[in-house]
Amino acid sequence: MHTEDVDLLIIGAGMAGLTAGARAVHNGLSVAVVEIAADVGGSARFAGYAWTAPSDDVMDRQNPRGDSALKRALVERFPEGISWIRSLGVEAKDAQRVLSFGRGHQFDTHHYVETCRRLIRQGGGALLLETRTKRLVVEDGVVTGAELASADGTHRRVRARSTLLATGGFQGDPALLAAHVHPRAADMQLRSNPFSRGGGYRLATGAGAATGHEDAGFYGHLIPSGIPFADPADFVDMSLYYSEHALLYNLRNERFADETLGDHLTAMALLEQPESRGLLIADARVFRDWIVGSYVEGAVAVDKFALAGKRGGRVGLAEDLDELAYLPEEWGYRGDAVRDAVTLFNEQAAAGLEPAPGRELDRLPLDEPPYYVIETVPAITFPFHGVRIDDQARVLREDGEPLGGLLAAGSDTGGLWHRAYAGGIASALVFGLTAADTATTTASRSTRSD
C-alpha cells in the first residue's frame, strides 16, 4: 500500500474542508483533501450567504441550549471569516439583515469554492476525488491519518499530523436520521448534496469520539408536499420561507407552533406532527408582501404558490374564509374546522389577544381575501446531532478531553445548534479556518520536537 505524509489530511471538500485546505496551504502546511464525490463544493454550491447572530446576546436568545464556547467562537470569529473570503478576491457584499435577527453577507459561493480549489493545488496540495476513507488510523489513542480507496481500485495510506472530518453531516443516511433526528426523519426530502451519508460521523465514533446532542433537531425548511426536487435550484425556489407570516395547521386542524419564530423552526415542529404534514394558509397581504417577495435582499423573487401549483402540489385558492370549508376531503383535513380556526385567530388578533400557540412577531390578522393554501412537509439540509468538538475544532472523547490528532468542522459537528439555527455556511467557514489554524499549531510543535 502506498503511503504518504502530510501536515493536514482533510476528509470532505465542501465549505469547511475547502476553507481549511486553502487556509492551511496559506499557513505553509502540506495538505491532502479527500472527496467521495466527483467534484468539490458539496452543499456550499447551493448557498449564497454567510450569516449568523450579530452578538453573543442575540445568539444566546436564539440558541440558548447550544454549546457556549462554540457559540462565542462563531460570533466573535465571523468577521474574520468574511475578511478571509474578501482576502481571496471573492466579493462579499455589505452586511444585511437575515431573518428577524441575523446579519450576513451575500457572496458567490461558486467563486469561493473554485478559488479554494485553485489555492490548494497551487500550494502543492493533493485533491483526491471519488475517493473513500476506509478507516482512520489510530495509534496509542491518537489519530495519525487514514486508509483510502479510490474509484479505480487504488489503495493508499496517508499519515497526517492532523486529520479533519468535514464530510457534511449524515442527512443522506436514513438509519442515522431515524436514530438521531426522528423516526420519520428518513422520509424527508433532502435539500442538500446527496453524498453526506455519515462518513465522518462513523469514522469519528469508530475512533472513540463523543457525539451529541440527542433531540437537537435539524436545519431544513418547509416545502410543498408531493413534489420531488428536480434540481438544486429547487432547494431555494420550493422552500416556503413565508410561513413565518402565515398560519400552519396539522391534521388535527390545530396550530401547534409560533410560525413567526422562523420557517426552519416550524419545519422541525411539523416533523413531529401526525404524518408530518400540514396546511399553510396565507391571505392576500401575506401573498403580496411575502409569497412573491424576496426572502432576503438581493435574492430572486419567486411566486412560490404558483410554482407549487404548476409542479402538481396540493394547493387551493379560497375567495373568502367560508370557502376554506370546502377543502378536498381526500387531503385529510376538516375544512370547516380549519375555517373556524382561522376565524378565531383573526378575532383574537383584531382584539389584541394572545392566540395559542403564541404569535411573537407578525400578529396581524389574516383577513384580506383571497386565501392561499399549500399543503406542506419538512425537508432536511443537515442534522444538528454530530461529532462533539471544542472551540479549537478538536474532536472530543466521551470524557471531554480532545481525541488526539482529530479535528472536525461544518455539519459533521454537534453541540453548536440545539433546536435553533443561525447559519451553517458561517459555522463551516469559521470552524474550517479554526481547524486549519489548530493544525498549523500542531505542525509547528511537531517540527520543533523532531
Side-chain angles (χ1 to χ4, degrees), residues 124-407:
L127 185 58
L128 308 175
L129 300 177
E130 296 182 285
T131 299
R132 179 173 58 89
T133 303
K134 295 174 58 181
R135 70 179 186 95
L136 297 178
V137 177
V138 183
E139 300 173 352
D140 298 324
V142 175
V143 175
T144 59
E147 292 184 1
L148 313 175
S150 301
D152 63 4
T154 302
H155 289 71
R156 71 178 76 197
R157 177 171 175 171
V158 177
R159 293 186 57 85
R161 289 188 168 102
S162 298
T163 299
L164 170 63
L165 300 176
T167 66
F170 57 75
Q171 58 272 15
D173 186 277
L176 288 175
L177 287 176
H180 299 294
V181 177
H182 190 274
R184 288 196 298 271
D187 297 327
M188 287 189 288
Q189 283 206 64
L190 183 63
R191 62 184 302 276
S192 81
N193 80 85
F195 299 103
S196 295
R197 302 179 184 130
Y201 186 89
R202 290 188 171 92
L203 290 169
T205 55
T211 62
H213 292 290
E214 299 302 331
D215 194 38
F218 66 95
Y219 172 59
H221 283 289
L222 298 178
I223 62 171
S225 66
I227 305 176
F229 289 131
D231 59 57
D234 283 345
F235 297 164
V236 172
D237 291 350
M238 300 298 290
S239 292
L240 304 177
Y241 306 123
Y242 74 87
S243 76
E244 297 166 16
H245 304 275
L247 298 174
L248 183 62
Y249 295 89
N250 62 17
L251 280 167
R252 300 189 186 102
N253 316 297
E254 300 169 338
R255 286 182 63 236
F256 53 89
D258 181 349
E259 302 92 342
T260 71
L261 297 181
D263 182 77
H264 57 295
L265 301 181
T266 308
M268 278 189 279
L270 183 57
L271 177 64
E272 298 171 352
Q273 296 301 305
E275 298 184 28
S276 301
R277 60 189 178 100
L279 283 184
L280 193 60
I281 300 176
D283 70 349
R285 172 184 65 86
V286 174
F287 177 83
R288 181 176 59 248
D289 294 346
W290 300 104
I291 294 181
V292 295
S294 297
Y295 185 52
V296 293
E297 183 181 346
V300 176
V302 175
D303 184 337
K304 294 178 183 292
F305 181 81
L307 182 60
K310 181 180 179 180
R311 296 280 292 273
R314 283 181 168 176
V315 304
L317 184 67
E319 293 300 328
D320 53 36
L321 277 176
D322 286 337
E323 281 198 9
L324 289 176
Y326 301 102
L327 289 169
E329 185 176 341
E330 63 269 20
W331 289 14
Y333 307 86
R334 279 186 50 206
D336 59 337
V338 172
R339 175 202 60 199
D340 293 346
V342 177
T343 299
L344 176 61
F345 174 86
N346 286 343
E347 292 171 350
Q348 292 173 328
L353 302 175
E354 181 76 6
R359 190 87 169 167
E360 184 172 317
L361 299 176
D362 187 342
R363 297 183 177 182
L364 296 174
L366 271 67
D367 58 2
E368 184 180 340
Y371 291 86
Y372 299 81
V373 180
I374 299 181
E375 186 180 62
T376 183
V377 295
I380 185 170
T381 302
F382 67 89
F384 295 151
H385 177 95
V387 179
R388 295 301 307 277
I389 61 170
D390 65 9
D391 63 358
Q392 299 305 306
R394 298 178 299 184
V395 171
L396 301 177
R397 303 184 313 224
E398 291 291 348
D399 62 5
E401 292 299 313
L403 176 55
L406 191 60
L407 309 169

Side-chain angles (χ1 to χ4, degrees), residues 50-122:
W51 72 278
T52 193
S55 68
D56 291 335
D57 287 344
V58 173
M59 177 64 83
D60 287 341
R61 285 199 301 271
Q62 296 296 325
N63 182 28
R65 290 187 285 175
D67 181 279
S68 295
L70 299 183
K71 291 190 297 185
R72 298 290 179 273
L74 176 57
V75 171
E76 293 166 11
R77 298 173 197 167
F78 181 64
E80 178 196 350
I82 298 302
S83 296
W84 163 259
I85 290 174
R86 290 169 171 161
S87 76
L88 302 187
V90 177
E91 179 187 12
K93 295 185 178 180
D94 292 342
Q96 63 184 79
R97 181 183 66 84
V98 179
L99 297 183
S100 62
F101 65 90
R103 297 285 288 175
H105 304 261
Q106 184 179 20
F107 73 109
D108 186 338
T109 49
H110 285 276
H111 186 195
Y112 181 76
V113 162
E114 293 304 324
T115 299
C116 289
R117 184 214 302 259
R118 174 175 54 80
L119 291 174
I120 291 168
R121 285 178 166 164
Q122 287 180 349

